[in-house]
Amino acid sequence: MRVTNGPTTRRRRKAIKRRVEGAWGTKHTSYKIARQTLIRASKYALRDRRAKKRDFRALWITRITAGLKPLGHNYSTFISQLTKKKILVNRKIIAELALNNQNEFKALVDKAFA
């Protein structure tokens, strides 16, 4: 008796098509093109996971800078002072303080420049 791979192949192809369901046109219906779309999407996903980290760091630095400007300080000297005083707070938390808790942020700045 001849054994076919039909069900296995269909299952594998359906899985790939399911992963590109939102694609436009033939990209989600044709297996061959769907596979290429999936490969390309995976490359973009990897690249953008890396870029996301850079983008958020830039956003935090911008928020910290904006919070420091009315207090008469700049970002580079502030970070330098934090390092000298051995105050270990990451930029994400500092940006959160600058945005939502100005009093605590001002206290942190005063402590850094004291």
Side-chain angles (χ1 to χ4, degrees):
M1 183 160 115
R2 187 171 79 92
V3 179
T4 63
N5 256 349
T8 310
T9 303
R10 188 165 47 255
R11 197 176 308 120
R12 187 180 66 241
R13 288 180 179 184
K14 273 178 91 170
I16 287 177
K17 284 184 181 181
R18 219 175 288 121
R19 288 181 65 188
V20 292
E21 232 171 31
W24 188 81
T26 318
K27 290 180 180 179
H28 76 280
T29 55
S30 166
Y31 169 70
K32 186 176 180 180
I33 298 171
R35 198 177 69 224
Q36 294 169 356
T37 302
L38 187 61
I39 291 167
R40 185 172 293 117
S42 299
K43 286 181 184 175
Y44 286 137
L46 178 69
R47 180 197 70 187
D48 292 338
R49 276 196 303 276
R50 304 281 183 263
K52 183 179 171 184
K53 293 165 181 60
R54 290 191 298 265
D55 292 344
F56 268 103
R57 186 180 171 96
L59 175 68
W60 298 330
I61 290 171
T62 304
R63 286 179 176 173
I64 294 168
T65 305
L68 287 168
K69 195 163 274 208
L71 302 175
H73 299 292
N74 66 4
Y75 173 80
S76 59
T77 54
F78 174 63
I79 293 297
S80 169
Q81 290 292 70
L82 284 178
T83 308
K84 282 180 189 169
K85 301 278 173 129
K86 295 189 168 114
I87 300 172
L88 301 174
V89 184
N90 65 18
R91 285 165 180 78
K92 180 179 179 180
I93 300 302
I94 297 171
E96 188 67 29
L97 289 175
L99 192 65
N100 297 324
N101 303 13
Q102 282 86 15
N103 295 334
E104 292 176 25
F105 178 70
K106 190 174 181 326
L108 181 66
V109 172
D110 293 341
K111 189 179 269 191
F113 286 100

